[in-house]
Amino acid sequence: MKVRLEDGLPYVTVVLSYRGQQVSLEKVLLDTGSAGTIFSTDRVLTVGLTMTPQDTIRRVRGVGGTEFVFTKRVDRLALDDFGLDNFEIEVGAMQYGVELDGILGVDFLTRVGAVIDLAQMKVYSTPQKDRNNADNRQ
Amino acid sequence: MKWEEIRRRYPDQWLLVEAIKAHSDAGKRIVEQLSVVSEFPDSIAALKDYAQLHREAPKRELYVLHTSREGLDIAERTWLGIRSAG
């Protein structure tokens, strides 16, 4: 998957599947400084994903203040040829002063064994047999 | 008001609420006192209002909650934020 630099930040396109519907999210930040993966409330509403009464909620505390998010399991989250099924995402207003559809955090990147290659401007997934991180060790 | 009292007064309802008294403890946000900002027929409308109010007043601690929720189990995580060159 190609990585695009915009205003000095690396972005990828992600396909999110939820209850038989798919949405392609074009401005998703690759962020090794974020533990979690989050998507914008407005963007995921296009596949019918919204908050339900018993969803887990969190408070994300950052430099610019705090925000409220809820969590949801999506059927699949994928970059063109690799991804994860039944993956938990956070959903929030994402008002960070930069227009974004979402953030791919370390939880997702670790579980796919992501390699971010900024020389080739590509991100790819390490084959399962060659992984040796905590989440993938067998 | 405490969450139990809000649940009694607004049964089976989507609400936008503001934490009036709260503190953080061992990765959890403990909200002691809340006030109800507004009521909504569904979560979509509530989240839309949250986004608008959060933009106008980012310092207010707001949550969208449904009163069928028994306890306020709010985990906290920190994030450094985005620093763009643009």
Side-chain angles (χ1 to χ4, degrees):
Chain A
M1 156 75 54
K2 220 171 125 73
V3 175
R4 307 179 310 272
L5 272 192
E6 290 175 40
D7 293 327
L9 293 172
Y11 292 97
V12 290
T13 298
V14 167
V15 175
L16 183 152
S17 309
Y18 183 73
R19 294 187 181 167
Q21 294 190 70
Q22 287 194 344
V23 61
S24 178
L25 302 163
E26 273 149 34
K27 203 158 177 198
V28 179
L29 183 68
L30 284 177
D31 188 359
T32 58
S34 174
T37 293
I38 180 164
F39 291 94
S40 137
T41 313
D42 292 342
R43 299 295 280 128
V44 298
L45 190 57
T46 58
V47 289
L49 192 163
T50 189
M51 191 179 173
T52 48
Q54 305 304 327
D55 285 346
T56 298
I57 56 174
R58 288 187 194 137
R59 178 173 183 255
V60 180
R61 215 163 26 159
V63 172
T66 69
E67 84 164 349
F68 145 85
V69 300
F70 62 95
T71 71
K72 209 67 151 183
R73 282 199 175 271
V74 295
D75 300 326
R76 186 166 172 80
L77 194 61
L79 282 73
D80 41 25
D81 58 344
F82 64 94
L84 295 171
D85 293 329
N86 192 31
F87 184 71
E88 187 185 273
I89 60 165
E90 294 177 347
V91 180
M94 299 191 67
Q95 295 164 345
Y96 308 137
V98 176
E99 279 300 313
L100 286 180
D101 293 335
I103 293 171
L104 274 186
V106 173
D107 54 350
F108 179 89
L109 296 170
T110 306
R111 283 184 53 197
V112 295
V115 176
I116 301 172
D117 182 341
L118 298 178
Q120 300 295 327
M121 291 307 283
K122 279 181 183 160
V123 56
Y124 52 89
S125 168
T126 307
Q128 191 78 45
K129 63 177 173 57
D130 297 328
R131 294 182 197 175
N132 193 31
N133 62 25
D135 281 1
N136 295 300
R137 203 173 289 140
Q138 294 188 330
Chain B
M1 273 187 282
K2 290 196 184 301
W3 179 239
E4 299 77 62
E5 191 180 345
I6 291 174
R7 291 187 69 207
R8 262 199 311 279
R9 288 200 196 184
Y10 300 86
D12 201 31
Q13 187 76 51
W14 280 104
L15 301 175
L16 178 61
V17 298
E18 178 170 10
I20 301 300
K21 189 167 181 236
H23 66 276
S24 301
D25 184 25
K28 293 273 181 194
R29 188 66 174 166
I30 315 295
V31 181
E32 294 158 55
Q33 290 288 332
L34 295 146
S35 76
V36 175
V37 179
S38 32
E39 304 165 55
F40 300 91
D42 55 54
S43 65
I44 297 173
L47 290 166
K48 204 161 276 181
D49 248 48
Y50 164 80
Q52 194 181 337
L53 204 54
H54 183 65
R55 185 175 289 123
E56 289 166 7
K59 296 246 183 272
R60 290 172 72 177
E61 185 174 338
L62 302 163
Y63 297 96
V64 170
L65 297 168
H66 190 270
T67 54
S68 65
R69 175 188 295 272
E70 278 188 30
L72 294 179
D73 185 17
I74 306 170
E76 271 190 321
R77 76 168 172 93
T78 51
W79 177 59
L80 295 175
I82 297 168
R83 296 195 297 161
S84 124

